[in-house]
Amino acid sequence: MLEHAIIFSKESQSIILTSLYGEVDPKADAFKDSLEKIREIAVKLEKGVFKLDLANNGKTMIVAIKNLSIAITFNKIAKEEVMNFWESVALEILKSFDKIYVTKDPAKILAFKDTMDEIIQWNLKEQSPIDKMKEAFW
């Protein structure tokens, strides 16, 4: 369900970090138009959340703080409670990344990709429907 997470800098108006969790590469030509729409919103959104429906029945949630935004893209339209869950995850990632981003150290910024992947993988496991069914059963 989760395709990718992309962190944008509002200052440089560009992608700083991206991670792929599904099958659609954010750098692929097929995703180029969607990525440009996402980037435009991500660099203009001052603070808050923006939800964007994509052409291929996907959905992107863009969460912004003062100088950064993160776009989390789903390959299908997610329920509102799922989007709310991922909104809190996105804020957690941005707040953690903001502390590193202010240093402008490229090595630390690139190393944050592993941290972002860990946060997302852990939360994907938390959202696993099989795990939730097991908990409800027991």
Side-chain angles (χ1 to χ4, degrees), residues 41-98:
I41 295 166
V43 298
K44 290 179 182 175
L45 186 62
E46 289 186 30
K47 286 187 178 180
V49 179
F50 187 90
K51 295 173 184 166
L52 174 68
D53 291 333
L54 301 174
N56 60 350
N57 286 335
K59 189 159 189 138
T60 295
M61 175 180 52
I62 302 165
V63 179
I65 60 174
K66 60 184 177 204
N67 58 345
L68 298 167
S69 294
I70 186 170
I72 297 181
T73 303
F74 303 89
N75 60 10
K76 60 182 179 178
I77 295 182
K79 294 180 182 176
E80 194 63 30
E81 53 271 5
V82 172
M83 296 296 281
N84 292 338
F85 172 82
W86 284 104
E87 180 181 336
S88 64
V89 174
L91 278 171
E92 177 186 346
I93 291 169
L94 281 179
K95 288 177 182 177
S96 297
F97 185 70
D98 190 38

Side-chain angles (χ1 to χ4, degrees), residues 1-7 17-28 30-31 34-35 38 54 56-61 70-78 82-83 86 113 116-117 120-121 124:
M1 183 162 116
L2 185 72
E3 283 294 324
H4 23 71
I6 306 167
I7 298 178
L17 208 57
T18 185
S19 206
L20 178 65
Y21 306 103
E23 297 175 9
V24 179
D25 185 349
K27 297 173 186 167
F31 195 72
S34 294
L35 183 60
I38 293 167
L54 301 174
N56 60 350
N57 286 335
K59 189 159 189 138
T60 295
M61 175 180 52
I70 186 170
I72 297 181
T73 303
F74 303 89
N75 60 10
K76 60 182 179 178
I77 295 182
V82 172
M83 296 296 281
W86 284 104
K113 182 183 181 318
M116 180 170 69
D117 289 344
I120 289 183
Q121 293 298 334
L124 280 170

Side-chain angles (χ1 to χ4, degrees), residues 3-4 9-10 28 30 32 37 54 62 71 83 85 132 135-136 138:
E3 283 294 324
H4 23 71
S9 166
K10 293 180 191 179
K32 187 177 181 178
K37 285 181 189 176
L54 301 174
I62 302 165
M83 296 296 281
F85 172 82
K132 294 214 178 268
E135 286 176 24
W138 295 107

